[in-house]
Amino acid sequence: MTSQYIINKYNNKVYISLKEGLDIYKNMPLTDLMFAANEIRESLHNKKIVTWQIDRNVNISNICFVQCEFCNFCRKKDSTDAHTTSIEEYRIKIKELFELGGDQLLLQGGMNPALGLNFYVALFKTLKQEFPKLKLHALGPPEIAYLAKKEKLTYLQVLETLINVGLDSLPGAGAEILNNRVRTKLSKGKCSVEEWLNVMRAAHKMGLYTSATMMFGHIETIEERLQHLIYIRDVQSEKPKNAPGFNAFIPWPVQLQDTKLQNKISIQNVTGSEYLRLLAISRIMLPNIPNIQASWLTVGKNIAQIALHAGANDLGSIMIEENVVSAAGATFTITANEMKQLIIDAGFEPKQRNQKYQIVESL
Ligand code: SF4
């Protein structure tokens, strides 16, 4: 298999199969893989531009019944530091966000069983009434699947209710590895593969912008990683013609510091070259997902810069606040100016974007 073989398949609009993907992933030199991924990236995007964003992650609560093996953030409800974010705290965080030039909250769990659909409706309504320009990139398939079960509603009904009170887009959170063997071992209380994909199918029918993610480098096999990509690709192929569907794919290596999983099994950290290999094969196997995002937060700035030559066209957000992967050891931070310089130093022109990947006026 050569990079030209991959590029020919891409030009002929033929997907790389699982078998071909495995051969490429395991046997192709990294430089060839990066070359092919970069060719695809350049055919989809202006080759000089790398996009980035300003948003703020806020966790609705740290109380979570799921208790994933890789999570060092969640708390039980009677824990002394159990916390649910108050409206006053949101106000302060949103004002800071606007001052820093962002307009979007990435609102995520934990999945606090005390919070039903009415809680989220009231929260979204209040935030949108007080801050009409605020964008809510909120929850994710595990929360939507949980709320549907709890309220005895369909995914479409839950999503419609939330869209009506201000949900702007749905993050691809909680995908980890889309494989039920892995999910049963690591995050038993979370939705299954089928539920995750079906929530996304419903979101695409509702016309929501969504993203897809992968947290890799733990107990999954290479084949399970590539099958994950194929699930995403297939759901994207089914979306209604004019729906945006998944507008980005974001893979990142698991962070395990002080987690239950770290104490149970020995897991080798994902190396820079392994990350680049995964990123490049993602670009190659997901030709119907427009954007591939490099995760500076988990791999560091230097590897993130190289990732821009391995298929990634976006560096994600400066993340004014991030709590979940940071609690498990991801400690990198970045300012807007540093983000722009990082992109310039990698040989590109930085452009600030919104969640729809539209270029916005930079700071
Ligand atoms: S990763 Fe998310 S769903 Fe899993 S335990 Fe932590 S907060 Fe809960």
Side-chain angles (χ1 to χ4, degrees):
M1 208 79 73
T2 61
S3 14
Q4 196 53 50
Y5 177 86
I6 295 171
I7 295 161
N8 288 346
K9 284 205 95 168
Y10 171 76
N11 287 336
N12 291 324
K13 299 189 174 16
V14 180
Y15 289 149
I16 297 288
S17 68
L18 179 61
K19 189 163 171 278
E20 289 170 322
L22 277 169
D23 185 16
I24 292 166
Y25 193 94
K26 288 180 180 169
N27 301 317
M28 188 174 272
L30 178 58
T31 44
D32 293 359
L33 197 57
M34 287 172 63
F35 176 80
N38 192 54
E39 288 285 304
I40 296 172
R41 176 249 197 262
E42 290 191 352
S43 98
L44 290 168
H45 300 281
N46 181 324
K47 61 179 170 187
K48 290 191 184 141
I49 290 175
V50 166
T51 47
W52 64 287
Q53 186 185 23
I54 298 177
D55 73 357
R56 178 167 200 156
N57 282 25
V58 177
N59 291 94
I60 295 160
S61 175
N62 65 356
I63 301 168
C64 186
F65 71 88
V66 180
Q67 302 282 315
C68 298
E69 297 282 323
F70 49 81
C71 184
N72 192 24
F73 164 79
C74 61
R75 296 289 181 272
K76 299 209 165 126
K77 71 173 186 323
D78 46 7
S79 167
T80 49
D81 54 353
H83 175 76
T84 297
T85 304
S86 68
I87 291 294
E88 192 42 48
E89 287 169 314
Y90 281 111
R91 286 190 185 113
I92 295 165
K93 287 169 192 281
I94 294 167
K95 280 177 192 155
E96 282 172 1
L97 166 73
F98 282 137
E99 276 161 23
L100 286 165
D103 66 354
Q104 174 172 279
L105 284 189
L106 168 49
L107 270 186
Q108 305 221 279
M111 287 164 62
N112 181 339
L115 311 180
L117 189 56
N118 285 343
F119 169 88
Y120 295 102
V121 167
L123 174 64
F124 288 12
K125 257 191 191 166
T126 306
L127 296 181
K128 285 285 184 153
Q129 268 161 10
E130 290 195 26
F131 303 96
K133 288 194 176 147
L134 181 71
K135 296 276 183 270
L136 293 178
H137 184 46
L139 307 178
E143 285 96 342
I144 303 299
Y146 175 67
L147 287 171
K149 239 176 237 167
K150 187 176 166 79
E151 311 287 354
K152 300 194 175 35
L153 295 171
T154 64
Y155 300 155
L156 284 171
Q157 287 169 321
V158 173
L159 288 167
E160 189 177 22
T161 307
L162 294 171
I163 291 168
N164 286 342
V165 290
L167 176 70
D168 291 293
S169 53
L170 188 70
E176 281 92 60
I177 293 290
L178 292 171
N179 175 278
N180 287 330
R181 177 193 74 82
V182 174
R183 300 175 84 73
T184 308
K185 286 198 170 143
L186 298 190
S187 46
K188 221 190 216 160
K190 240 177 205 169
C191 61
S192 67
V193 174
E194 295 71 26
E195 289 169 321
W196 196 97
L197 296 171
N198 283 337
V199 170
M200 284 308 193
R201 286 185 176 102
H204 295 173
K205 272 192 196 142
M206 300 291 301
L208 277 175
Y209 279 78
T210 67
S211 56
T213 61
M214 177 197 285
M215 186 191 74
F216 68 100
H218 37 88
I219 61 166
E220 83 287 0
T221 64
I222 303 293
E223 185 166 344
E224 286 163 350
R225 289 181 194 173
L226 301 192
Q227 184 58 56
H228 177 118
L229 298 179
I230 291 173
Y231 285 139
I232 301 287
R233 182 171 84 187
D234 289 347
V235 168
Q236 181 78 339
S237 300
E238 294 167 24
K239 76 177 175 64
K241 208 167 170 227
N242 296 321
F246 295 120
N247 67 346
F249 179 70
I250 312 141
W252 70 83
V254 68
Q255 308 291 305
L256 287 176
Q257 191 179 297
D258 299 330
T259 61
K260 283 178 262 176
L261 192 57
Q262 188 187 39
N263 296 330
K264 280 189 189 163
I265 48 172
S266 137
I267 291 178
Q268 299 265 309
N269 283 342
V270 170
T271 61
S273 66
E274 177 74 1
Y275 170 73
L276 293 170
R277 188 168 282 279
L278 192 277
L279 191 96
I281 196 83
S282 304
R283 179 62 291 168
I284 289 165
M285 290 189 72
L286 297 174
N288 60 349
I289 311 281
N291 300 288
I292 302 286
Q293 187 183 119
S295 171
W296 62 268
L297 178 72
T298 53
V299 300
K301 295 168 190 167
N302 294 345
I303 297 291
Q305 283 179 313
I306 302 171
L308 299 175
H309 300 273
N313 60 292
D314 184 87
L315 266 192
S317 172
I318 62 167
M319 285 196 227
I320 296 163
E321 176 180 349
E322 198 293 321
N323 300 308
V324 179
V325 287
S326 304
T331 53
F332 300 106
T333 57
I334 201 166
T335 63
N337 282 339
E338 283 169 342
M339 173 69 98
K340 287 192 269 189
Q341 196 57 48
L342 192 73
I343 294 170
I344 292 166
D345 291 345
F348 300 93
E349 197 183 324
K351 292 279 183 195
Q352 193 181 331
R353 65 157 173 90
N354 61 20
Q355 193 55 40
K356 296 181 178 174
Y357 283 74
Q358 296 160 330
I359 306 295
V360 295
E361 208 167 300
S362 203
L363 289 172

